[in-house]
Amino acid sequence: MSNKILTAVVAAALFAGLYVPSTSAQQERDVMEVMRSQIATQRQALVAENLQLSQEESDKFWPVYRDFQYDRAPLIDRRLSNIKSFRDNYETMTDEQAREIIDSVVQYEEDMLKLQKKYIREFRKVLPERKVMRYLQIERKLDAVIDFDIARVIPLPEDPA
């Protein structure tokens, strides 16, 4: 996987939700939308570069890929919302706010797994198993790199109690 493109994806992901300066809610949404578009383009380029599909496979794969990314977007938005809630409230967070964030994180993970299972079935209809596995490997690697960098920038606060 190209380190240059991977670095760009990670940088875009970090700036997409964690480094938006204090601005109006509309300005933050605008920045998020631009970043989301850039991430999607870079992610698709990485998949294309590393999956090496035949023309026939490509014709079948990309519509399913686009559907998956479309269905995944609201879940990613929820995840970013959880991260922002933590970031914005960790110093003054109440037990109730912490409970809401925890429950939302767990629900996000359950919903993401359900979506992934659904789309694995769809990818299996259009690609051989080895290519489905390769695609999942690419997706998980991208997600892992982004998760690592997000974890690096989220503070581990002192226990406020």
Side-chain angles (χ1 to χ4, degrees), residues 55-68:
Q55 185 60 50
E56 182 181 343
E57 291 169 335
S58 184
D59 291 343
K60 295 175 183 177
F61 172 79
W62 290 111
V64 178
Y65 172 87
R66 284 188 290 275
D67 289 347
F68 174 54

Side-chain angles (χ1 to χ4, degrees), residues 18-134:
L18 302 177
Y19 288 125
V20 176
S22 295
T23 59
S24 73
Q26 183 58 48
Q27 288 172 321
E28 186 170 317
R29 282 191 296 274
D30 292 346
V31 169
M32 293 281 289
E33 194 55 43
V34 169
M35 290 293 125
R36 182 179 291 112
S37 176
Q38 290 174 348
I39 291 168
T41 299
Q42 292 166 346
R43 189 175 197 106
Q44 185 170 338
L46 276 169
V47 170
E49 178 184 330
N50 290 282
L51 195 52
Q52 302 174 356
L53 300 171
S54 70
Q55 185 60 50
E56 182 181 343
E57 291 169 335
S58 184
D59 291 343
K60 295 175 183 177
F61 172 79
W62 290 111
V64 178
Y65 172 87
R66 284 188 290 275
D67 289 347
F68 174 54
Q69 296 303 323
Y70 178 83
D71 289 348
R72 180 180 152 137
L75 295 178
I76 300 300
D77 289 346
R78 279 187 12 215
R79 180 173 189 233
L80 287 174
S81 177
N82 290 334
I83 292 169
K84 284 193 233 175
S85 290
F86 177 79
R87 176 198 67 189
D88 294 345
N89 299 301
Y90 78 83
E91 289 181 4
T92 59
M93 189 175 302
T94 65
D95 282 345
E96 183 56 34
Q97 288 172 314
R99 180 184 320 280
E100 288 173 10
I101 292 171
I102 291 166
D103 291 347
S104 184
V105 167
V106 170
Q107 188 62 55
Y108 158 80
E109 290 173 354
E110 289 174 357
D111 292 347
M112 185 60 81
L113 182 58
K114 182 178 175 182
L115 184 69
Q116 289 169 340
K117 286 180 176 181
K118 172 187 173 186
Y119 275 95
I120 286 171
R121 288 189 299 272
E122 296 303 312
F123 287 121
R124 284 178 164 159
K125 292 176 185 177
V126 299
L127 292 178
E129 287 293 323
R130 288 175 55 100
K131 289 206 175 172
V132 172
M133 184 67 198
R134 177 74 174 148

